[in-house]
Amino acid sequence: METTGASRPPLAGIRVLDLTRLLPGPVCTLHLADLGAEVLKIEDTGLGDYAAPALRAMVQRNKKGMRLDLKQADGVALLHRLAESADVLVEGFRPGVMDRLGVGYAALSAANPRLVYCSITGFGQTGPYRDEPGHDLNYCALSGVSDQIGRDDAGPALSNLPIADLLGGSMNAVMGILAALFDAARTGTGRHVDISMADGVLAHALVPLVTLATQGATRRAGLDKLSGALPCYAMYRTQDGRHLSVGALEHKFWERFCDVLGRPDLKPMHMPPDRATAERVRADVAALIEARPLAYWADVFHGRQCCVTPVLRLEEALAHENFIARGMVHPRATEGSAPQLACPVKMTGFEFSIERPAPSPGQDTDEVLTALGHDEAARADLRRRGVVG
């Protein structure tokens, strides 16, 4: 896909106030910033966003930075001023905190009815768990998703890709914000977008839900159709201790896979009639694949169109020809720095770019205050009193 003419970021002109920390909220506003929104990251004057420096470099790019103390009246007044001209505010505090500070949705939307105000929490703004703390594994556990990840004999597995934080939190927040922005453009009225990470991951537990609906119960981890029950959809160990992913879920792909393996006799066993037969087929396939190293199989299956790919390590994925061709590894990344992954949204008329690196805490405070009409003396006074940093 190629752009024609100058790049036109689709969210150019949208102003976002980002009061979030760590991962779910910052990744949400990262996507908005990468698509052209003007994002101001607002941190408190104390600890601020305590994400690791490498994570900060990745998720705070294309944003400006300000430090603001919302426990002081003047800090609250400054946020009100900023919200008057903003399109979006994103926060990730526990329910009720922003209201107690005087910067909740009701207070800010009174002055700016068009404001889209997004709150990202573990369990949402309502319900008996609204005040409970939690992390990604808690949200996945309570939603029934952890029970479906891993193997029955080993127990639930932990993922290094935080499913609830990113799928349940970040991406649902982006969806809600964009929908509310679209409506605000038509009606002039914004909305309070209430994102629960637990809700978000539960809403995508579709495959085990189908099993529940058709079988009356979910299968144990590793025993459902897409989690290990089928030899045609599984991970196989190679000679060098690596793994090959086989996703020959459709019969035509399984037939090609069997031809490449030299085992046409396995073609009728695409969907084995029982578990014992499935395990026999799996054992036959496993023995064949374990006889050769991963590089051999990657070469043999390349271009054979049977849904077989090597299980790459992240550093290998970053160097893979397809991701390079798609521009997913941004060339701005320098040796020794955290890799920068590009925006995954490709569209005509828009060319993603990194316009600015992640700001240091409060890097653009003076610029923001100047735009609000504060002269040098006023800025110095606010800084002296710890209202800004």
Side-chain angles (χ1 to χ4, degrees):
M1 181 180 294
E2 296 182 359
T3 60
T4 56
S7 178
R8 295 178 290 107
L11 294 182
I14 297 297
R15 303 183 69 183
V16 180
L17 305 178
D18 176 7
L19 281 74
T20 65
R21 299 173 179 172
L22 298 176
L23 198 61
V27 170
C28 163
T29 56
L30 167 68
H31 290 311
L32 300 177
D34 283 352
L35 292 171
E38 178 186 325
V39 177
L40 176 61
K41 179 171 180 59
I42 300 175
E43 301 177 64
D44 63 68
T45 54
L47 187 59
D49 187 342
Y50 42 89
L55 178 61
R56 185 185 183 95
M58 290 183 228
V59 303
Q60 306 301 351
R61 70 180 182 213
N62 285 336
K63 304 176 186 180
K64 295 180 179 181
M66 180 182 188
R67 298 179 74 192
L68 187 62
D69 185 0
L70 292 177
K71 294 180 180 179
Q72 296 195 46
D74 284 345
V76 170
L78 282 172
L79 187 61
H80 274 259
R81 287 282 308 281
L82 290 168
E84 287 174 6
S85 59
D87 299 285
V88 178
L89 182 147
V90 187
E91 61 94 6
F93 296 104
R94 289 197 190 185
V97 169
M98 293 290 277
D99 286 324
R100 290 195 295 272
L101 292 171
V103 289
Y105 174 64
L108 297 186
S109 64
N112 180 4
R114 295 179 60 256
L115 183 67
V116 172
Y117 190 110
C118 179
S119 298
I120 305 173
T121 59
F123 300 106
Q125 299 296 304
T126 61
Y129 269 53
R130 70 188 293 269
D131 296 319
E132 289 294 321
H135 286 293
D136 184 89
L137 85 166
N138 303 120
Y139 312 138
C140 287
L142 200 68
S143 63
V145 171
S146 295
D147 178 66
Q148 293 293 300
I149 301 175
R151 300 197 320 256
D152 181 51
D153 58 348
L158 292 171
S159 170
N160 211 20
L161 193 160
I163 299 170
D165 283 0
L166 299 177
L167 174 63
S170 304
M171 298 311 299
N172 280 329
V174 171
M175 176 174 66
I177 288 168
L178 294 180
L181 275 175
F182 180 78
D183 186 58
R186 295 184 301 181
T187 66
T189 303
R191 298 171 186 260
H192 187 188
V193 180
D194 172 10
I195 299 297
S196 155
M197 288 179 268
D199 287 356
V201 72
L202 174 63
H204 291 88
L206 300 176
V207 174
L209 186 62
V210 169
T211 302
L212 176 63
T214 57
Q215 305 293 325
T218 56
R219 298 183 189 275
R220 299 195 305 275
L223 298 180
D224 210 342
K225 185 176 181 180
L226 300 185
S227 63
L230 299 175
C232 68
Y233 198 86
M235 302 284 192
Y236 290 96
R237 185 181 178 89
T238 59
Q239 186 183 60
D240 50 353
R242 301 292 298 276
H243 289 84
L244 190 72
S245 68
V246 177
L249 199 56
E250 291 80 10
H251 193 263
K252 62 181 179 180
F253 297 136
W254 175 251
E255 289 192 330
R256 293 173 193 167
F257 172 73
C258 293
D259 285 337
V260 173
L261 283 185
R263 289 293 304 271
D265 58 301
L266 294 179
K267 290 181 180 181
M269 293 294 102
H270 174 233
M271 295 286 172
D274 52 61
R275 186 174 177 182
T277 304
E279 290 307 313
R280 286 197 299 271
V281 174
R282 188 192 310 277
D284 284 353
V285 173
L288 288 167
I289 291 177
E290 196 165 17
R292 302 277 190 171
L294 182 64
Y296 171 85
W297 292 119
D299 182 62
V300 164
F301 280 105
H302 181 68
R304 299 302 291 266
Q305 298 190 346
C306 50
C307 303
V308 176
T309 52
V311 177
L312 297 183
R313 299 185 177 111
L314 181 58
E315 59 269 27
E316 295 169 331
L318 294 177
H320 192 274
E321 61 179 350
N322 193 67
F323 296 123
I324 297 296
R326 293 281 295 169
M328 280 306 300
V329 184
H330 200 270
R332 184 163 179 170
T334 58
E335 186 175 355
S337 67
Q340 289 287 338
L341 301 177
C343 176
V345 179
K346 318 292 184 186
M347 64 177 74
T348 55
F350 168 62
E351 188 71 33
F352 162 75
S353 63
I354 297 179
E355 299 297 328
R356 54 192 300 148
S360 58
Q363 176 179 306
D364 304 290
T365 297
D366 281 342
E367 177 187 330
V368 173
L369 292 177
T370 300
L372 291 177
H374 292 73
D375 60 18
E376 184 175 354
R379 297 195 302 270
D381 178 62
L382 288 171
R383 184 167 276 105
R384 178 184 60 80
R385 294 188 288 118
V387 176
V388 300

